[in-house]
C-alpha cells in the first residue's frame, strides 16, 4: 500500500504569500491538493497585514492537514524593505507550523530551482513549466508566487522530506509509513539491479 506525503509549501511575502499543497508518493509522483495566494493590502498597518497572512495560512492548515511545512529560506538582497517583509511572513508560517505540531523546513530558491528544473538559476517561467508538468496541470500555475509555493513543496518531498522529524525527534505515523515504503522500494530496486548483473541484462 502506497502512502503519500502531504507537504504545504509557503512562498513568503507580505503583499502576496504563495500557498501550495501537494501529495507526493514514494515513487516521486505528485498531485495537486491546493494552490492559492494570500494577499494583504499595502495600505494596512504591518500588524494587520501579518494577521491577514496568518489567517490565510491557518485556514489552509485546517483544511488540508499537511504532514510537513516547507518555507522559502530568506536570504540577503539589496532591497532591505522587501527582505524584511519576506522574513516576517516566513516567521508567521514557521510559527503556525509549530503551533499545529507540524515539522517545518526551509529551502533556498536555488535549492528549489535545482530540484524542480535541474538548474539552480532557472527563471520563473521554467519553474512554472516544470511544476505544471510534474503535477499534470492543464495550465501554468498563476501567479508566480503560487508556482513557487508548489515548487517548494515538491522540492522538500524530493529532497528526503519524509525523513524530517518533528521537534520532539519522533517521526509521525505518516512519515514512518513513507520511510518504510521508500525502504521497500529501494530494496526492490537493488534486487532488480543484482539480477541484471547476474544475467548480463
Amino acid at each position: 500500500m502506497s502512502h503519500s506525503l502531504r507537504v504545504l509549501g509557503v512562498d513568503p511575502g507580505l503583499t502576496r504569500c504563495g500557498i501550495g499543497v501537494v501529495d507526493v508518493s514514494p515513487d516521486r509522483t505528485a498531485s495537486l491538493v491546493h494552490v492559492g495566494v494570500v494577499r494583504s493590502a499595502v495600505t494596512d498597518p504591518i500588524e494587520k497585514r501579518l494577521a491577514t497572512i496568518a489567517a490565510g495560512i491557518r485556514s489552509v492548515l485546517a483544511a488540508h492537514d499537511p504532514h510537513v511545512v516547507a518555507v522559502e529560506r530568506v536570504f540577503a538582497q539589496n532591497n532591505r524593505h522587501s527582505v524584511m517583509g519576506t522574513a516576517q511572513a516566513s516567521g508567521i508560517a514557521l510559527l503556525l507550523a509549530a503551533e499545529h505540531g507540524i515539522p517545518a523546513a526551509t529551502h533556498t530558491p536555488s535549492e528549489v530551482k535545482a530540484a524542480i528544473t535541474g538548474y539552480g538559476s532557472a527563471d520563473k517561467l521554467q519553474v512554472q513549466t516544470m511544476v505544471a508538468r510534474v503535477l499534470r496541470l492543464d495550465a501554468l500555475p498563476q501567479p508566480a508566487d503560487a508556482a513557487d509555493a508548489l515548487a517548494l513543496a515538491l522540492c522538500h518531498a524530493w529532497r528526503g522530506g519524509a525523513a524530517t522529524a518533528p521537534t520532539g525527534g519522533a517521526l509521525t505515523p505518516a512519515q514512518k509509513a513513507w520511510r518504510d515504503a521508500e525502504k521497500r522500494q529501494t530494496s526492490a530496486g537493488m534486487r532488480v539491479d543484482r539480477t541484471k548483473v547476474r544475467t548480463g541484462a
Side-chain angles (χ1 to χ4, degrees):
M1 180 177 175
S2 176
H3 296 269
S4 294
L5 181 72
R6 177 162 292 184
V7 187
L8 165 61
V10 179
D11 181 44
L14 274 181
T15 303
R16 295 184 307 275
C17 182
I19 305 289
V21 183
V22 297
D23 283 343
V24 184
S25 300
D27 65 0
R28 293 170 63 92
T29 58
S31 59
L32 174 67
V33 176
H34 171 83
V35 65
V37 175
V38 182
R39 302 176 186 273
S40 73
V42 295
T43 54
D44 285 343
I46 184 61
E47 67 274 15
K48 185 174 181 180
R49 299 186 73 184
L50 291 173
T52 299
I53 298 300
I57 297 174
R58 191 177 286 115
S59 67
V60 173
L61 286 168
H64 300 292
D65 194 23
H67 301 131
V68 62
V69 176
V71 184
E72 181 178 294
R73 184 178 302 164
V74 180
F75 62 98
Q77 292 177 327
N78 293 329
N79 189 341
R80 292 186 178 182
H81 180 73
S82 175
V83 171
M84 182 63 70
T86 300
Q88 290 168 328
S90 175
I92 292 294
L94 295 171
L95 172 64
L96 290 174
E99 286 184 348
H100 285 73
I102 303 171
T106 60
H107 300 281
T108 65
S110 60
E111 287 174 344
V112 175
K113 292 174 183 178
I116 301 302
T117 70
Y119 178 51
S121 298
D123 60 30
K124 288 189 177 294
L125 179 58
Q126 289 173 309
V127 172
Q128 287 175 295
T129 300
M130 287 306 299
V131 167
R133 184 177 301 174
V134 169
L135 296 176
R136 300 176 298 281
L137 305 179
D138 294 331
L140 299 183
Q142 298 284 350
D145 311 86
D148 288 344
L150 293 172
L152 273 157
L154 291 170
C155 169
H156 183 74
W158 289 349
R159 290 172 66 92
T164 302
T167 305
L171 295 176
T172 66
Q175 289 170 329
K176 289 179 182 177
W178 174 284
R179 179 197 59 193
D180 294 342
E182 283 191 322
K183 285 182 178 178
R184 289 194 297 271
Q185 185 179 25
T186 300
S187 297
M190 291 175 65
R191 286 195 297 271
V192 170
D193 289 342
R194 284 196 293 267
T195 299
K196 288 181 178 180
V197 170
R198 287 197 299 270
T199 61

